[in-house]
Amino acid sequence: MSQNSAKQWFNLEEKFFSDVDQHLIDKLRKELSIGQSADEIMRVTGISDPKLAEEIASMNITVETLAAFRLVPLVAVAWADDRVEENERYAVMRTAEKSGIAKDSASMELIQSWVARRPAPDLLDAWCDYARALSASLDGEHRDVLKKELMHQVREVASAAGGVLGFGSVSSLEKATIERIEQALS
């Protein structure tokens, strides 16, 4: 990344959280401000590759930003058809739990608010900017691991809404959202 990376990350983080309830942000920052380490990043975000977590931690990227970062695409796909089906909501929440986000945490409250009330449209725009910057800063192997894990989760949410025996369950709007997410990670 360029020498302006710290300022760039700060600006992206501020944009990312601009439409989120302030008390949730404050609670989230308080919960996650201590002990930003690779282990904490892995625990909170569900990233399973220790080297990737170490590389991310070395860039001073906050755990709260990564936790939300990992789940914005899932929420965007769930809302792609202008409503969140119960199976999609369940898939997002299950992924959040599997990622190590505690049920009573501010991160989980944030995710619950996003699946209950559609986030502002510029949230995905901000996520795409953030994803491009993060992807550009990671080496190829780590970028591929992050993309693979995230795209798997996105596709699980997209296919959760229905179809017959898993066929036809991803709508054209969901496919377009998935393509946008994948491009941002490339």
Side-chain angles (χ1 to χ4, degrees):
M1 287 198 90
S2 71
Q3 54 272 42
N4 295 327
S5 63
K7 183 176 180 181
Q8 181 183 16
W9 283 118
F10 177 78
N11 289 339
L12 287 171
E13 182 177 19
E14 289 303 309
K15 182 178 178 185
F16 187 78
F17 285 120
S18 65
D19 291 321
V20 181
D21 295 6
Q22 189 60 45
H23 89 293
L24 288 177
I25 294 170
D26 293 341
K27 184 177 175 184
L28 188 60
R29 284 186 174 144
K30 182 179 178 184
E31 286 179 2
L32 300 174
S33 65
I34 299 172
Q36 287 186 343
S37 66
D39 288 340
E40 185 70 4
I41 287 172
M42 289 174 62
R43 184 187 69 75
V44 173
T45 65
I47 292 173
S48 59
D49 184 328
K51 290 181 182 178
L52 172 59
E54 286 174 17
E55 186 174 347
I56 291 168
S58 73
M59 290 186 273
N60 295 319
I61 299 170
T62 64
V63 175
E64 74 243 15
T65 302
L66 269 176
F69 165 81
R70 289 292 302 255
L71 298 173
V72 166
L74 282 68
V75 172
V77 168
W79 279 105
D81 293 327
D82 293 324
R83 67 187 184 289
V84 177
E85 300 288 338
E86 190 56 38
N87 288 345
E88 291 171 317
R89 182 182 326 275
Y90 175 76
V92 170
M93 301 311 292
R94 185 185 71 225
T95 300
E97 288 177 18
K98 280 181 167 179
S99 295
I101 297 175
K103 288 182 179 184
D104 61 346
S105 70
S107 294
M108 190 60 81
E109 287 182 45
L110 182 61
I111 302 309
Q112 288 170 341
S113 74
W114 284 344
V115 294
R117 184 182 71 238
R118 187 178 202 147
D122 61 351
L123 179 64
L124 184 58
D125 295 336
W127 179 87
C128 287
D129 291 342
Y130 193 89
R132 281 194 254 326
L134 179 61
S135 291
S137 68
L138 296 172
D139 71 33
E141 180 184 342
H142 293 148
R143 183 176 43 253
D144 292 345
V145 168
L146 179 65
K147 182 177 179 179
K148 181 182 175 185
E149 288 179 5
L150 192 54
M151 294 310 300
H152 174 74
Q153 292 170 342
V154 165
R155 287 184 180 100
E156 279 186 350
V157 170
S159 64
V164 178
L165 300 174
F167 296 105
S169 61
V170 179
S171 73
S172 60
L173 292 171
E174 289 170 327
K175 286 178 185 175
T177 303
I178 291 169
E179 287 174 15
R180 184 172 177 206
I181 292 163
E182 193 164 23
Q183 287 173 353
L185 291 166
S186 297

